Amino acid sequence: MKALLRKDLPWLLGFLVLGTIGLAMGLMEHSFVYCFVVSPGDREGLFHVAWSVGLGLGAVAMCFDEALGTREFLAQRPVAITRLGGARLLGCGLVLLGWFLLAPLGAWLCFVVGDLEYWSAPLRQLPQIWATLTTAVSACAIGALAGALPAPWWARLLIGGALQVTSLTLVYHLSHQSVTSLPVFVVSNLAIAALAVGLCMVALAHRADPDRAMLATVRRRVMPSLVVLLAAFFCMLQMEVQSEVATRLRRVYPRPVVLGGKVEIVQREDYDDPYRIVDAEHRAIAVIRRPETWLSYREPSLGKEFLRIEAPGSMWSTLLWMHTSVAGHSYLVLDGDGRAFWVSPGDGVRATGRYVTHEPFSVGSGALSVESGGESAHLVRDAATNELWRFEDDLGHFIPQPLSEGDRFVGFDHVHDEELVDRPGVPPIGVARNGRVVRGERFVYGVKGGVLVAVGPNRKVPSVAVKMGRVTNDSPLSWTVQFDADPVAGHAAFSHHFTPHTSTERKYAAMTMGVSLLRPPLLQALAAVCPEVPPASHWLLDPLVAQGRRWWLVLVSITVGLLSAWSVRRRLRTLGATPSTMLIWTMLCVGLGPFAAIASVVCERPRAYANRAITTPVPLPRIFTSCSLNQDIA
Amino acid sequence: MSSPVVTFDSVQRWFGNQVVLKGLSFQVMPGQVYALLGRNGAGKTTALRILLGFLAPHVGSVAVLGCDSTALSPQVRGRIGYVGEEHRLYATMTVAGAVAFEAGTRPTFRRAFADQALQRCGLRPSQRIPRLSRGQRATLSLVLAVASNPELLVCDDPALGLDVVMRREFLDALIDLLADTGCTVLFSSHFLTDVERIADRVGILHDGSLLVDATLDDIKRRVLRCVWLPKPGATLPSGPQVLRIGARRGGHELLLLDAQRALLADLAAHGELSPPLAPSLEDLFLDLTGPDRPGMLREGMDELVARPTPVGGQR
């Protein structure tokens, strides 16, 4: 094993060094505090570097000897293939371990060299950093699996990419369901890694022979499942495309507005263009500068995007962190779990909190600085008690900040112009326009002498609630909106059926439906008979045909599927495939449509069916010495 | 009688439309040095790759040390040494590193033997692999393969690309090492003079099957070459004893197999016959596989020797 690791030293060291540098740089996209002390919200840089280098590591580990031309030099020695694979995976494990230790250490060293005061700061975010790095583990295993597949390089590349995107999406959806997602994230990444490693060891034992047809057992048992899995991935891609195009269609549809007591629909081509009032068929009939009031309604959607390559982190915090500067050079940071820190360039990072004991706030507490009259106060609202706490620079901790008797905290807010005009009498302190204040149920509070003082009564009038429109006959491409007469908003009743009329609208609608035609016919038929398709299932069941809409799309899909099956069957018969092979692919094409046809072309190559066996016996060599005679003479 | 170390049994292998082996059958007996000869693309490397289990035969089977080549266990692989055409070694290693790698992956590797052999060949342990000349790399590959004490040594054109001096040195090293070990050797080569020096038996592979599979002694004993100037009216000889008839200065160059005295006397009676001599291996190879010798292809041979030439008459 040591000898095998030694020959892999070039890529082991290369990935260890370059990966560590990349990951450390990914960590350092944030400042020291948001890297090691409090959650930065998300860790985009670290996450993307982690899965990229992980994938590369796994793929290189499995393809190193192939790329170097030493595969046969290695394969001819008395080492079992599982041991060879095990040595490569062990190498990957060592590099990953190195990344887990060295990347945070490297980033920490860089920060500390920049500011020595950071050396004693608490490294509370290490678990989050390590959790994010588990992405590299799963990506490495996927890379190894793709690299070990008995397939041509381009197929390995495609399958590896598809598996990686699917894995990231799967982990995202699994771990985005709850606030306790960090363990879910870690466990799902490790589970994917374990599965991929197992499959990798199986794949290593197989070799591809493009001159041989697929084994009957593989074709019957493994290949259909693989094609169905890839078809599911293909469905996700289709969903992404459809969703994007449908969003563009919704953007070009006109929007309802109130104009002169009437509801009109307006649209504009570009941001700088004036609005055009359009008729029921979306033809421009007039131009206006700006509508009086926008009316809104819930637009039907084509479902949420499913494929996700998103960094974790934000899901591990219950609330966004906030910070506020203190005395112009230092600042306070409140983490999502209620822990506060005072960061100053000369003193590093110090923990702070309630009272001198620095008790943490409740999870989900919020912070803001209130500014008025050139003064500022740094406040935290405790989420559990709804009490305000003010930071005392001199004391270095937070103390209670009561409001006027009987008043309750409502929120942090900006002072609006109308409130300044409406404020009776001379204000006790000068509140700048758009200054930040605390709004209680009864009073608005500003800062004077470093403490909160009631500035005036809270006169904020709730904004007028304009009724939303009702949507009927909703489908992702066309729907009807109805607005009842509304005396508050000052408009009469209105109804409009949104459907593609202009060339741009038709283009987007055609693109959406075009993608629909490539969806698996079986799923299209299923979607058509389903009473309702939840948005989470839109990647699988097409919402364009759900609830019996657009039967013609289903029929065309089925026709496309049947045509695919017919052409595939014909091709396979020409190649000389067995009836069972033709049956499998015919069924897959009928069920999955053109995707299965493409898969059959990729899997069933003409070369594999070119049986060039010579049946006539080959004559003996013209000059021949019997081995036994030779042996006897010897 | 001991069982063969290598047995090719009607092996066929094709790559797409190109059929490389068309039913290759031969055996290599223990202790034998078998040279597989053939022109470029004849299928030598494919045959050796099938033997080592890197490729599977499409038809037929290959047994090596009693095991099927498609299912060689690590234990069987440990009994086979291999020197590849390109002498692939890890470019990041030194000579000492390559020795350590072999020692770490081959339980039977004899380190002392390797060190001694490398010293004899003038290779220093600190030399880096990329700095070695092609000849030195070939020698190192050979030493590493032989040091693991294999029962079967497979060499795929090991002297390819070496100059005459390096080739000679390589060959001497091979002979020395073989003298020490006495293992069975199956090698392919383009250098027929080298083959004549070390091989016991040769197989000439042409168009996917063997034209010759015989010991060198047997070839020398059974194949004769002579020039025959026929008298007017004499017909060309034919039959299984005539391997080839070529035109030469108004006469014919005859390649005869197991020529009987009667045939030679008959030829002498109907023309002028030079003293029959055993051809060199290179001459035999050229006669059998050369591009200007279409008649030497086995299928067309009988037809060619039966066809009268313009100079001949009724005999």
Side-chain angles (χ1 to χ4, degrees), chain A residues 105-389:
Chain A
L105 180 67
W108 184 82
L109 278 174
C110 288
F111 279 126
V112 171
V113 167
D115 188 345
L116 286 174
E117 299 299 333
Y118 286 139
W119 79 270
S120 60
L123 305 179
R124 295 176 61 247
Q125 293 301 311
L126 270 181
Q128 265 202 26
I129 291 170
W130 283 329
T132 308
L133 281 175
T134 54
T135 312
V137 180
S138 62
C140 175
I142 287 171
L145 169 60
L149 286 174
W153 65 269
W154 54 267
R156 288 189 237 174
L157 210 62
L158 279 179
I159 293 172
L163 286 176
Q164 182 59 59
V165 173
T166 310
S167 146
L168 293 174
T169 296
L170 194 68
V171 172
Y172 174 86
H173 286 289
L174 282 174
S175 57
H176 217 71
Q177 304 296 325
S178 67
V179 290
T180 56
S181 58
L182 192 142
V184 178
F185 184 87
V186 173
V187 169
S188 47
N189 267 312
L190 294 181
I192 287 171
L195 180 69
V197 164
L199 291 173
C200 172
M201 295 308 275
V202 174
L204 273 173
H206 292 86
R207 277 172 301 179
D209 182 356
D211 291 305
R212 280 245 167 94
M214 203 184 296
L215 286 175
T217 47
V218 174
R219 184 184 283 111
R220 213 169 37 241
R221 291 177 190 168
V222 181
M223 192 268 303
S225 320
L226 200 65
V227 172
V228 167
L229 276 177
L230 286 172
F233 178 75
F234 193 58
C235 280
M236 288 186 207
L237 284 182
Q238 287 173 323
M239 165 71 206
E240 298 294 308
V241 175
Q242 273 189 319
S243 182
E244 174 63 28
V245 179
T247 306
R248 289 186 186 193
L249 174 65
R250 284 202 299 277
R251 280 187 198 145
V252 297
Y253 270 156
R255 295 174 61 191
V257 297
V258 178
L259 271 176
K262 280 171 63 182
V263 177
E264 301 280 6
I265 47 173
V266 297
Q267 64 182 174
R268 63 176 177 181
E269 283 185 359
D270 204 1
Y271 185 76
D272 298 328
D273 291 345
Y275 288 98
R276 292 172 306 174
I277 302 174
V278 296
D279 63 8
E281 294 188 346
H282 304 176
R283 286 179 299 222
I285 50 175
V287 175
I288 56 163
R289 278 192 68 79
R290 188 175 165 77
E292 293 165 14
T293 310
W294 293 99
L295 295 177
S296 61
Y297 62 94
R298 195 181 59 79
E299 291 172 332
S301 88
L302 197 65
K304 60 181 182 181
E305 290 171 350
F306 202 81
L307 292 179
R308 294 282 183 147
I309 305 179
E310 284 190 23
S314 59
M315 55 183 134
W316 298 336
S317 295
T318 50
L319 188 76
L320 281 180
W321 51 267
M322 303 177 91
H323 77 262
T324 169
S325 66
V326 178
H329 64 279
S330 61
Y331 57 96
L332 288 164
V333 183
L334 181 68
D335 200 357
D337 57 7
R339 289 187 182 276
F341 297 91
W342 188 13
V343 186
S344 52
D347 299 323
V349 184
R350 278 175 290 170
T352 181
R354 293 184 291 185
Y355 304 119
V356 73
T357 51
H358 297 165
E359 289 172 35
F361 296 96
S362 310
V363 173
S365 298
L368 192 81
S369 58
V370 173
E371 293 168 2
S372 53
E375 291 188 76
S376 64
H378 312 292
L379 303 169
V380 169
R381 183 195 69 98
D382 192 89
T385 59
N386 203 30
E387 286 172 349
L388 284 181
W389 294 76

Side-chain angles (χ1 to χ4, degrees), chain A residues 1 3-4 6-8 10 64-65 68-81 83 207 209-212 607 610-616 618-633, chain B residues 1-2 12-17 19 22 27 29 32 49 53-54 57-59 74 77-78 82 88-90 92-93 100-102 104-107 201 209-215 218 222-223 239-240 242-243 257 298 301:
Chain A
M1 199 63 97
L4 293 173
R6 197 179 298 137
K7 67 108 181 149
D8 285 336
F64 181 69
D65 281 290
L68 223 60
T70 49
R71 192 171 64 168
E72 292 179 356
F73 174 67
L74 186 67
Q76 50 95 13
R77 49 202 69 242
V79 182
I81 195 81
R83 198 154 157 247
R207 277 172 301 179
D209 182 356
D211 291 305
R212 280 245 167 94
R607 195 172 154 178
N611 186 358
R612 305 191 184 280
I614 296 160
T615 48
T616 51
V618 178
L620 279 172
R622 192 68 189 267
I623 305 171
F624 179 72
T625 310
S626 160
C627 279
S628 53
L629 177 69
N630 181 44
Q631 185 72 16
D632 294 343
I633 291 168
Chain B
M1 192 184 90
S2 53
Q12 294 185 29
R13 172 78 206 200
W14 52 88
F15 295 96
N17 287 327
V19 183
K22 293 179 179 168
Q27 289 183 336
M29 302 308 288
Q32 205 168 52
R49 292 183 72 211
F54 302 150
H58 286 147
V59 175
R77 283 193 187 282
Y82 172 60
R88 294 277 186 199
L89 294 161
Y90 289 102
T92 50
M93 292 181 179
F101 177 64
E102 288 293 325
T105 52
R106 287 188 181 273
R201 190 179 175 98
S209 58
L210 285 177
L211 291 179
V212 174
D213 178 16
T215 60
D218 210 22
R222 293 170 61 195
V223 181
V242 184
L243 281 177
L257 173 68
R298 189 175 43 239
M301 194 177 291

Side-chain angles (χ1 to χ4, degrees), chain A residues 486-509:
Chain A
D486 188 350
V488 177
H491 66 77
F494 174 77
S495 171
H496 178 69
H497 181 62
F498 285 90
T499 194
H501 286 295
T502 66
S503 59
T504 313
E505 291 163 1
R506 285 200 176 111
K507 180 184 79 180
Y508 286 135

